[in-house]
Every structure is written in structure tokens, then in C-alpha cells.
Amino acid sequence: MASEKTKSLLARAKSLGFSDRQIAQLVGSTEDEVRALRKELGLVPSYRLVDTCAAEFEAYTPYYYSTYDTGDDEVRKTKKKKVMILGGGPNRIGQGIEFDYCCVHAAFALKELGFETIMVNSNPETVSTDYDTSDKLYFEPLTLEDVLHIYEREGCWGAIAQFGGQTPLNLALGLQKNGVNIIGTTPQSIEIAEDRKLFAAMLDKLGIPQPPNGLATNEEEALIASKRLGYPVLVRPSFVLGGRAMQIVYSDEELRYYMRHAVEASPERPVLVDKFLEEAIEVDVDCIADIGVGGETIVIGGFLEHIEFAGCHSGDAAMVLPPHSLGKSQIETMRRYTHEMACELRVAGLMNVQFAVKGKDVWVLEVNPRASRTVPFVSKAIGHPLAKLAAKVMTGKKLTELGFTEEIWPKYFSAKESVFPFSKFPGQDILLGPEMRSTGEVMGIGRDWGMAYAKSQMAAQPALPTGGKVFISVRDSDKPHAAKIAKDIADLGFTICATDGTAEVLEKTGLTVQRLFKVQEGRPNVLDLIKNGEVQLIINTPAGKTPRSDEVKIRTAAVLHRISIMTTLAGAKAAALGIKTLRERGLKVHSLQEYHARAGR
């Protein structure tokens, strides 16, 4: 038994806010040992209530916070069966508020089934922490220590970890080891999808291809893996949020710099090295399954084709549902792979798969047996609340009971576009890559793909122009393809402007081009046109892996003056189609319910 001095010191440390993990590190112990000692000494937090109605009338949805400074405990006891929902914690760029949408829908769904919902989240700027979302809210950090206290104090029947993104998912195994009933897809299945070796073994077993890849725990291993795979390679730390520290590298020098400055590799946290598939189309697939609760139904909510080529983080990419350029065989292959993986992982709830498609080949990039940031978009696009259905499945309901067994294939197009904070950071280059940078997203729906994309640009701002001047400056490899886009835009009555290199290629196709100086060469150049309000659309693809200073100036000026700018040919092609649709048909608006009435197989 610990001495009174130890108990007094430990009580003092907890009162000052030290976590069990911090204490363990300071005294050379483990978090589990500190927690066990603390419980043996009777040192557990009490919970105080924040009156959401300021004592004017009875508060039915109280907030709670923990404290070690008082023995008073104000938790209201009930006899209802309780389910804890773990939120996403503080919002960060790359976190995705879409996960909060899933937590909120889970609370609503569980209430419908008669459960008492216990929300755990520490972010006041979310709907999940609103007074009328859950039955009880614990405004606590998403840590193993704090979650365990709440689970035990409330006597919960189960906990949902797959709706709050990566933050609660990282806690799943630790919670399960400490007696928490993680409902839905098991933490073991989640570990298979997260662990590179286990995931590769599963795909080999199923005969599903993935891009050539390797693992590296140090710089030398990373160089060996990259030499075997061939550049370019995509490197990233394992268990990351929002693609943080993910990068495409093209040489040994870049890789060495990445390994020395961007990450800390270790056997516990290896760096993942993937062969980067250039000019491959990326596709997100969201599905729901009840295999893990004894069912046999798997339903794909939607196939989302990325507008940008693979390499742009899925949280930043513009997407369209249903796919507008993929063939039936490619879609059928992705459907078959998704069903096979959902069965193998025994998914109970949601699962997201990211594919890369190039020609007839389809590769699996990654699988997340949890809610993804595209779930709210897909749910609105098809008219079925996937997060609500998934929460009910986690409690043991079958999809046949819930009446959702058929894949929905809308007869209209839905476009997702991301919103970026670049206007708040002057001089920051707007080029997108594997690390997520968006802070929101919008949606456009139309009878055809062009109208849906045009509406998404109106919502994200700036909207696509319907006339004026277009400045085109693209890298050499893009010039032949840019000529077709330039002709489409010129046919709509736009004046084409370009610097000498691009202008020469465009003029050979019969286009009339207004030539401009490069920024470093003289005037008039495109920056003059931007400042004078003479250019309405810019198509500018980077000349190399390291952006040139004049390119960054052009892109920054476009953002500052709210000019529509496309940094990929795929985006430019979509913009040309959107402009054409607006010019030919004009803007037409219908309610979401009208579109849902047209949804079908």
C-alpha cells in the first residue's frame, strides 16, 4: 500500500492537472501503473455540472467537466442503456468538421432507439457540443484516461470510436484493453487497415492489387525502398491526421531532407513509402455494412471521382458523384474489391476505400473502416443518412431491418469543392498536394456534370466567369492538352492570353492569342492584367516540382483579386464545361428534395 506522502503528492499532481501519462513519464513508470495506483488510493475525478439554462429553468441536457478539487459529484443517474460517442476533439486544418456531422447523427439515431447518448468532446465550436444534441455532454479531452473515467462513471454499455476521425480511433485498442465495449467494427479490424504489413497481407490474401510500397524506420531504409520502387514516391508517417507531413518526393536529396526534417521515424511509427501513380484518377468509395453484427448486406453509398489526379489529399480534392468519366468495368472492379474487403474486415458500420484508376488497372490506396469526411456529402447526394444508419447497425440492427439494401445511383450529378483559407495568408502558394489544407467544403447539384461543377464554384467563390480574358500558362508536358481546353474556351467567346512558350503551341492549332511578357521579362504581363481587372480566368499548372517565384506571384494575385484560377488541367477542363453549360442553359436551381425524388438505381 502506498504511503500517505505518495497519496498526498499524487493528489496534488492531479489537482494541478497532470495526466497519468505525464506523471508516469516523470517517475519512470507506465500510465497503466499510475492509473492502477491512483484507483487503489481512491483518487478519481468528480464531475461538476454547467447549467445550460443559467438556473432560469431546469436544464435537461447538462454539460459536465471533471475536477480533483472537490468531492461533490453532480452526475445525474439514470437507468437507461448508455452509449458513449467519442468526438473529434479540437478542430485543426486537416481535421474535418464532417466527423462532427457523423457524431451528431449518431446521437440522434441512438436516441430514436431508446439509448441515452453520452457525448465526449472538447470543442465548443461544434454541433455535437450543442445543448440539444446529446443527453449528456462531457467537455473533456479525448485521452485514454479521461474517456475511461467517464465510461466507468456512467456505466456505459458501449462506445463509438469510428465517427470522430483519427483522434478517437487511435484510442480504440487501449479502451478495449481496459474493458470498454467498442461497438461497430472491432479495433482489431481497424488495426489491420491501419498497419501496413497487416493490410498488405489482407490484400494479398484477397488478390487485390495495391501500388508497390515499402516501410522505413530510418533514412537508409527509406532510400533502399525508394530505389526499389523508383521515383516519384509518396512518403508519409503512419497513423496521420489530414495527410500531415505527407509528401511526393522525386530524388534522393528530397527524401533525405524529408527523413531528417519532416518526420521522426521509429519501429513503432515507420514511414510509409508508396510508388506514386502519376496521372491516375483517384476515387473514394463510401459503403455501409452489417457483417460485423451477423448480417450479410453491404451497400455502397457512392463512388466519388476526384477531379484532380491522385496526389491531392481527398479532403482538398474536388469530387463528383456519380463518376463522369469511368467505365462500367472499372466501377464493377471497385465494387467487387469493396465488398470483399468489407467482408474480410467484418465491417459493422461505415467503411471508406480510396482507389487509384489508370486505364484498365485499379489499385487500392487505403481503407478506413470508419466514417470518412465524405459521408455528409454522399448522404446529401443520395438522400440517405449513412451515419444514422451506421450507428443503428453498430447496436445490432441489420440493414434489411432498416430498409437500406440497394445501391443508389443518382440521375443527377453532385460536385464537392473545397474551400481554402489562402486569402488569409498572402504569399502562401495555393498549389494542392498530399497534405490537407482546406477549411471547409461546398456542394453543387445539377442535371449534368458541367452545371454541378459551376454551382460548386459559385458556392466556393470565386464563381466561374462567362466572358472576358483567360490567361493560360502551363508546363511543357501539359501544353498539347491545354490547346484543346483553350479552343473550347475560345469558342465560348473568351480572349486567350499567354506568354511566348504557351502562345506558340496554341497558335499552331489556329488560335488567336494575345501575347504577354513573363513577369520577370517586362510589361505588360499578367500581373498588370490582374491588377487592372482585365483577366477573368487563369489556368496555371506548375512548371516543376519546385514552384517558380513568378508562378507563386500569379497565383497569389489571383486569390487576392478573387479571380477564378485552375492549377490542374482536369480542373481547367471542368471549368470549360461548367462555363459552356452556364452559357447554353443558364442557371437553374432546384431543392434537394426535388433531386432526391429523381434518385434511382
Side-chain angles (χ1 to χ4, degrees):
M1 186 71 178
S3 67
E4 282 300 315
K5 183 179 179 181
T6 299
K7 181 176 181 179
S8 175
L9 187 61
L10 187 55
R12 175 74 174 149
K14 297 306 292 184
S15 177
L16 289 171
F18 283 86
S19 67
D20 289 349
R21 178 179 289 189
Q22 288 173 314
I23 294 169
Q25 191 173 15
L26 291 170
V27 301
S29 182
T30 67
E31 184 179 0
D32 288 343
E33 289 172 345
V34 172
R35 179 164 56 250
L37 174 62
R38 184 169 49 72
K39 284 188 172 183
E40 181 186 327
L41 297 173
L43 291 173
V44 294
S46 56
Y47 293 94
R48 304 304 303 271
L49 183 150
V50 177
D51 189 345
T52 53
C53 298
E56 291 184 43
F57 42 89
E58 186 178 358
Y60 291 100
T61 51
Y63 291 13
Y64 293 103
Y65 66 95
S66 64
T67 176
Y68 279 87
D69 288 336
T70 174
D72 298 333
D73 193 295
E74 298 180 335
V75 174
R76 299 172 179 178
K77 296 181 180 179
T78 67
K79 294 183 179 180
K80 274 188 171 184
K81 202 172 185 179
K82 301 177 180 69
V83 174
M84 172 190 284
I85 302 167
L86 301 182
N91 272 355
R92 309 170 183 88
I93 292 179
Q95 172 76 25
I97 197 66
E98 300 88 349
F99 296 126
D100 200 65
Y101 164 101
C102 295
C103 292
V104 170
H105 276 250
F108 293 163
L110 295 174
K111 280 184 182 181
E112 289 175 12
L113 295 179
F115 289 94
E116 181 174 315
T117 55
I118 312 294
M119 188 72 69
V120 182
N121 206 353
S122 55
N123 186 351
E125 293 298 322
T126 56
V127 182
S128 67
T129 53
D130 281 357
Y131 72 92
D132 57 352
T133 296
S134 57
D135 293 306
K136 290 179 185 173
L137 166 69
Y138 282 83
F139 208 79
E140 294 288 285
L142 272 297
T143 68
L144 182 67
E145 175 183 344
D146 293 290
V147 172
L148 281 174
H149 278 312
I150 299 164
Y151 187 88
E152 292 164 359
R153 179 65 186 81
E154 285 286 356
C156 295
W157 167 72
I160 293 177
Q162 63 166 267
F163 278 171
Q166 194 68 40
T167 302
L169 212 63
N170 289 343
L171 298 175
L173 271 175
L175 291 171
Q176 188 186 57
K177 287 175 184 175
N178 282 277
V180 173
N181 174 30
I182 302 292
I183 63 175
T185 307
T186 66
Q188 286 70 29
S189 289
I190 293 169
E191 185 76 2
I192 290 172
E194 296 267 358
D195 185 284
R196 177 51 61 95
K197 290 182 180 178
L198 296 176
F199 181 56
M202 182 192 79
L203 293 184
D204 287 342
K205 175 185 175 183
L206 298 174
I208 296 174
Q210 64 174 321
N213 60 75
L215 286 171
T217 59
N218 55 52
E219 184 181 320
E220 190 58 37
E221 288 182 7
L223 288 167
I224 292 170
S226 298
K227 185 176 181 181
R228 174 173 60 84
L229 299 173
Y231 289 107
V233 294
L234 181 70
V235 286
R236 57 187 169 131
S238 49
F239 298 92
V240 297
L241 174 72
R244 185 180 55 78
M246 192 183 293
Q247 188 175 323
I248 300 166
V249 298
Y250 294 82
S251 66
D252 286 353
E253 291 72 28
E254 284 186 44
L255 185 61
R256 286 192 181 95
Y257 185 87
Y258 176 85
M259 295 298 293
R260 292 172 188 174
H261 301 284
V263 293
E264 290 183 13
S266 69
E268 294 76 29
R269 286 286 186 263
V271 169
L272 313 179
V273 185
D274 294 289
K275 175 64 180 173
F276 178 61
L277 304 169
E278 293 187 286
E279 296 191 358
I281 297 171
E282 194 165 338
V283 182
D284 267 72
V285 175
D286 283 316
C287 81
I288 183 171
D290 58 13
I291 308 301
V293 293
E296 51 186 28
T297 307
I298 301 165
V299 182
I300 290 178
F303 297 85
L304 294 94
E305 179 181 348
H306 292 214
I307 308 309
E308 294 82 6
F309 284 133
C312 174
H313 191 280
S314 60
D316 287 351
M319 301 180 186
V320 57
L321 182 160
H324 72 103
S325 71
L326 299 177
K328 287 184 178 179
S329 63
Q330 296 162 321
I331 290 170
E332 184 51 46
T333 299
M334 288 186 283
R335 182 181 288 116
R336 176 164 53 85
Y337 289 168
T338 301
H339 279 241
E340 289 174 357
M341 289 185 289
C343 283
E344 183 66 22
L345 292 170
R346 299 199 57 76
V347 170
L350 294 166
M351 183 179 84
N352 170 264
V353 188
Q354 292 174 22
F355 292 99
V357 180
K358 193 171 184 179
K360 294 181 180 179
D361 296 320
V362 176
W363 294 274
V364 172
L365 298 178
E366 65 177 88
V367 173
N368 296 299
R370 58 165 171 82
S372 74
R373 56 173 46 84
T374 50
V375 164
F377 173 78
V378 174
S379 298
K380 287 180 170 67
I382 66 173
H384 289 269
L386 296 179
K388 266 188 175 181
L389 292 167
K392 291 179 179 180
V393 165
M394 290 180 199
T395 66
K397 295 287 184 181
K398 309 291 194 303
L399 286 171
T400 50
E401 293 177 64
L402 300 173
F404 187 67
T405 58
E406 297 290 322
E407 190 177 303
I408 304 296
W409 198 268
K411 296 175 182 175
Y412 49 86
F413 288 87
S414 300
K416 177 184 90 72
E417 181 58 284
S418 298
V419 178
F420 299 93
F422 297 129
S423 61
K424 307 293 184 185
F425 302 98
Q428 176 71 31
D429 195 9
I430 67 171
L431 283 181
L432 303 179
E435 189 166 18
M436 185 174 166
R437 302 168 78 187
S438 65
T439 51
E441 62 184 40
V442 296
M443 180 176 184
I445 305 182
R447 192 173 64 193
D448 53 52
W449 159 226
M451 181 60 75
Y453 186 76
K455 287 182 178 178
S456 72
Q457 300 309 296
M458 290 177 194
Q461 287 293 310
L464 295 175
T466 54
K469 288 184 179 180
V470 178
F471 173 73
I472 301 176
S473 175
V474 296
R475 60 189 171 207
D476 291 342
S477 60
D478 286 343
K479 284 171 183 171
H481 307 288
K484 172 67 170 67
I485 296 171
K487 185 179 184 309
D488 291 342
I489 293 174
D491 288 345
L492 295 170
F494 284 81
T495 299
I496 306 296
C497 306
T499 51
D500 287 343
T502 304
E504 189 175 331
V505 174
L506 298 182
E507 286 169 346
K508 285 180 180 178
T509 65
L511 289 170
T512 300
V513 180
Q514 177 185 338
R515 293 201 180 209
L516 299 174
F517 287 107
K518 290 183 178 178
V519 174
Q520 305 292 342
E521 292 177 347
R523 307 175 79 170
N525 57 53
V526 67
L527 293 181
D528 297 318
L529 268 64
I530 290 173
K531 291 172 184 174
N532 295 336
E534 295 179 45
V535 63
Q536 283 68 46
L537 175 65
I538 295 173
I539 299 171
N540 174 230
T541 62
K545 57 184 179 292
T546 303
R548 291 196 284 214
S549 61
D550 55 346
E551 289 180 351
V552 177
K553 288 177 182 176
I554 292 169
R555 292 191 282 264
T556 301
V559 171
L560 183 64
H561 289 83
R562 298 180 61 79
I563 296 170
S564 186
I565 178 168
M566 302 294 154
T567 58
T568 65
L569 285 188
K573 188 177 179 181
L577 182 61
I579 293 168
K580 183 180 180 183
T581 306
L582 285 174
R583 290 280 295 271
E584 291 179 351
R585 294 181 36 226
L587 181 64
K588 295 180 181 177
V589 178
H590 301 279
S591 70
L592 201 57
Q593 290 76 13
E594 288 178 273
Y595 282 113
H596 290 164
R598 286 193 243 160
R601 280 285 289 172

